[in-house]
């Protein structure tokens, strides 16, 4: 029962629609009505500008970080002498937060694509690998202005970089699962990329 409560709490934290709240409270704008109609950091940047975009990015990353932290706390409580137990709990917390962000209970089980929240999860679990893939993301986005291309590429690289760094198998499996999830959530972006119709990361403004 205690494990279920911890997972549910991480899920609820992940479900908090940061982009929707920031857009409505501070800018009187529902991001679901503009741009790509997504509530994530990229669309917040396109529609509202750099500062709110960064605020949404930080908030969504924070949900992932907090989910893993809750998992670590629960793991230390249930298995303080078993490091592998702690790792599994951390992964569970991260997955719950990621699920909440993408299938939010507050948005009728809809939500964002999980990139920023997943980044927060990875930052806690594997900070060095996160730094590597973040640099790759920055280079790709800087050269192409295509956030989705950078996100998909970085996601696919996560399990590869984890393997190169010699991370435990559970973390590599998690990285592969997270990469698959991000790619699936970006299927429409991938289709637009192939067609040459994907939106670039310029500030489009409200329409």
């Amino acid at each position: 029962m205690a494990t279920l409560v911890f997972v549910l709490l991480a899920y609820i934290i992940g479900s908090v629609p940061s982009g929707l709240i920031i857009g409505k409270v501070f800018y009187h704008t529902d991001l679901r009505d503009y741009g790509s109609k997504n509530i994530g950091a990229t669309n917040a940047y396109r529609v509202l500008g750099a500062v709110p975009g960064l605020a949404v990015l930080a908030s969504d990353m924070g949900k992932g970080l907090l989910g893993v932290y809750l998992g670590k706390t629960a793991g230390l409580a249930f298995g303080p002498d078993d490091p592998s137990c702690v790792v599994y709990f951390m992964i569970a917390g991260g997955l719950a937060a990621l699920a909440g962000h993408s299938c939010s209970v507050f948005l009728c089980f809809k939500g964002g694509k999980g990139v920023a929240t997943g980044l927060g999860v990875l930052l806690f679990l594997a900070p060095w690998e996160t730094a590597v893939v973040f640099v790759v993301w920055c280079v790709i986005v800087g050269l192409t202005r295509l956030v989705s291309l950078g996100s998909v590429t970085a996601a696919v690289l996560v399990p590869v970089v984890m393997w190169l760094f010699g991370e435990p198998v559970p973390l590599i499996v998690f990285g592969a699962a997270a990469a698959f999830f991000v790619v699936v959530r970006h299927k429409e972006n991938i289709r637009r990329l192939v067609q040459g119709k994907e939106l670039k990361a310029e500030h489009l403004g409200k329409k």
Side-chain angles (χ1 to χ4, degrees), residues 2 28-29 36-37 43 59 63 67-69 74 78 90 102 108 111 120 131 141-142 151 154 162 164 180 183 193-194:
H28 309 293
T29 299
S36 66
K37 306 187 187 304
N43 199 44
S59 299
K63 295 190 298 186
V68 181
Y69 175 77
F78 283 99
M90 290 168 69
S102 301
C108 298
V141 175
S151 298
M162 283 182 165
L164 291 174
F180 177 77
V183 171
L193 283 168
V194 172

Side-chain angles (χ1 to χ4, degrees):
M1 181 61 71
T3 302
L4 180 61
V5 170
F6 135 70
V7 171
L8 182 61
L9 181 58
Y11 169 78
I12 291 174
I13 290 171
S15 290
V16 176
S18 310
L20 185 64
I21 293 171
I22 290 172
K24 281 193 169 185
V25 172
F26 297 101
Y27 298 91
H28 309 293
T29 299
D30 189 332
L31 290 175
R32 297 172 297 181
D33 295 332
Y34 301 97
S36 66
K37 306 187 187 304
N38 190 273
I39 62 170
T42 301
N43 199 44
Y45 169 75
R46 289 193 188 110
V47 175
L48 302 175
V51 172
L54 288 172
V56 175
L57 175 65
S59 299
D60 287 345
M61 284 182 63
K63 295 190 298 186
L65 285 164
L66 188 53
V68 181
Y69 175 77
L70 286 174
K72 182 178 180 180
T73 302
L76 289 172
F78 283 99
D81 300 320
D82 185 357
S84 62
C85 174
V86 176
V87 170
Y88 284 121
F89 268 90
M90 290 168 69
I91 291 173
L95 283 172
L98 192 58
H101 175 77
S102 301
C103 304
S104 172
V105 68
F106 302 118
L107 298 175
C108 298
F109 300 102
K110 296 180 180 180
K113 294 177 180 174
V115 175
T117 302
L119 182 62
V121 172
L122 289 173
L123 184 61
F124 200 120
L125 292 172
W128 290 110
E129 291 88 330
T130 303
V132 171
V133 297
F134 182 68
V135 169
V136 171
W137 181 89
C138 288
V139 170
I140 292 174
V141 175
L143 291 175
T144 67
R145 310 302 295 171
L146 293 167
V147 175
S148 58
L149 179 61
S151 298
V152 170
T153 304
V156 171
L157 283 177
V158 165
V160 177
V161 176
M162 283 182 165
W163 176 73
L164 291 174
F165 273 70
E167 294 289 356
V169 172
L171 278 186
I172 297 174
V173 171
F174 166 76
F180 177 77
F181 179 82
V182 169
V183 171
V184 169
R185 294 289 291 176
H186 280 79
K187 62 180 185 294
E188 291 300 319
N189 302 83
I190 294 171
R191 179 180 59 81
R192 290 194 295 269
L193 283 168
V194 172
Q195 296 174 345
K197 298 179 180 179
E198 179 68 328
L199 293 171
K200 293 192 174 183
E202 280 91 16
H203 178 195
L204 302 182
K206 289 187 288 185
K207 296 182 179 180

